[in-house]
Amino acid sequence: MIASAAPVAVIFRRSPSRLVQLIRWHLGDDQIEAGQWFKGLIHAARCDLSPSGQYLIYFAAIHRAPYGSWTAISRPPYLTALALWPKGDSRGGGGMFTGEAQVVLDHQPKEMVLAEGFDLPENFRPTSIAAHSGWTPGDLEERKALRDGWQVIAEAGLLYPVPGSRPRPFMPMRQHEKPGEDGLRLRRLRSSFERGHRTEYAVTDRHGRMILTLPNCDWADWQGGDLLYAQGGALYRLRGGSLAQGLAQAEQVHDFNGTQFAPLAPPDWATRW
């Protein structure tokens, strides 16, 4: 995800062994800053960066005491919590920034109590997304998408197979587009499944013709006229002037394959507001 008011992004790198590493990507010079690892699940779709990129809100779960699951705010690329709201389940959780010190949590009002030992600056204003928080799948993700410039262009109920069972209807496939430069648009097709998710990306021209597809792509977004994306455990940048020439022209920013877990203690600045 990319900060709205600063050239910085964060990436959650998942390993096959239920480990997640937080990465900070400095978009101005494509420098990569490796951060802390987490042993458990982080739901990336329920995370968000503050406009400056200084703060990250994330939803994590280990499904054991003392919290089970929780929403926290940290300073990337560290996950050390500055504020933590216990959740206990996966019905909702996470949040989004509506300002540098304003955050909306996908928690029910009764779940808006900070865990013992945590506090917030006086100017920080957390609110609950709605009285039905946690009961409307995709509501938080949709709000974030619309805020970040994605537009809903299609929605239709489709049939998808689940391994070992007959095809059945799932939640609708929802297609979004995000305008780029020179009439180009990044198209995202996201479908919700009973087990997992699938997201596909493509680039279309001003006439709606597909000029580029991104197979097996984990994430994609615009930065100015450049296309940024994650694929096969690596980050790439495809310059705007090279889009028509295809993915062969993409520059690999960093390859994370082979990186192994290593404990990383947070510096002092990452442990305080």
Side-chain angles (χ1 to χ4, degrees):
M1 66 195 73
I2 300 175
S4 62
V8 63
V10 296
I11 303 294
F12 292 100
R13 175 181 174 260
R14 297 184 181 92
S15 77
S17 55
R18 290 173 64 91
L19 292 171
V20 183
Q21 185 182 27
L22 183 61
I23 307 292
R24 181 157 58 181
W25 184 358
H26 297 275
L27 301 176
D29 57 8
D30 279 343
Q31 292 299 303
I32 295 297
E33 190 175 354
Q36 282 180 316
W37 291 81
F38 177 75
K39 297 181 179 180
L41 297 174
I42 291 183
H43 299 263
R46 298 190 152 270
C47 304
D48 196 27
L49 269 178
S50 69
S52 71
Q54 291 189 60
Y55 299 113
L56 169 73
I57 186 165
Y58 66 91
F59 181 52
I62 55 174
H63 301 300
R64 63 176 183 267
Y67 304 125
S69 65
W70 63 91
T71 298
I73 294 177
S74 70
R75 286 183 174 269
Y78 297 90
L79 293 163
T80 303
L82 306 179
L84 187 150
W85 293 268
K87 187 72 177 65
D89 56 41
S90 296
R91 293 191 296 271
M96 61 180 282
F97 283 93
T98 57
E100 190 64 24
Q102 290 79 44
V103 63
V104 177
L105 301 183
D106 194 4
H107 283 222
Q108 296 186 42
K110 65 181 181 181
E111 300 169 333
M112 296 293 293
V113 180
L114 282 167
E116 185 177 353
F118 293 92
D119 56 18
L120 290 168
E122 291 185 4
N123 66 325
F124 232 88
R125 301 182 182 90
T127 58
S128 175
I129 198 169
H132 61 270
S133 176
W135 297 99
T136 305
D139 186 38
L140 174 63
E141 297 173 47
E142 189 68 11
R143 291 187 185 210
K144 285 171 51 185
L146 296 177
R147 179 204 63 187
D148 294 340
W150 293 91
Q151 304 163 358
V152 178
I153 60 169
E155 187 170 5
L158 297 176
L159 290 174
Y160 274 94
V162 171
S165 68
R166 62 181 177 82
R168 66 184 72 176
F170 293 91
M171 292 176 61
M173 295 184 73
R174 178 162 286 176
Q175 200 170 75
H176 295 80
E177 280 190 347
K178 188 171 185 179
E181 295 185 353
D182 301 322
L184 297 178
R185 303 178 76 86
L186 178 61
R187 182 169 294 181
R188 179 177 68 182
L189 180 66
R190 184 174 181 84
S191 56
S192 295
F193 294 81
E194 187 173 287
R195 301 176 184 175
H197 297 278
R198 184 183 72 182
T199 305
E200 297 176 347
Y201 293 89
V203 177
T204 62
D205 64 15
R206 66 178 68 252
H207 303 293
R209 295 175 300 211
M210 193 175 298
I211 63 171
L212 185 69
T213 59
L214 294 154
N216 303 315
C217 179
D218 300 308
W219 165 85
D221 208 339
W222 297 115
Q223 191 211 4
D226 293 352
L227 179 65
L228 310 180
Y229 64 97
Q231 186 181 61
L235 295 175
Y236 295 89
R237 178 186 293 273
L238 182 56
R239 305 283 177 181
S242 303
L243 279 165
Q245 301 174 48
L247 299 182
Q249 301 301 314
E251 304 166 13
Q252 187 182 88
V253 175
H254 195 88
D255 186 353
F256 295 99
N257 291 290
T259 304
Q260 297 183 347
F261 169 83
L264 180 64
D268 180 66
W269 61 264
T271 65
R272 50 187 170 80
W273 289 99

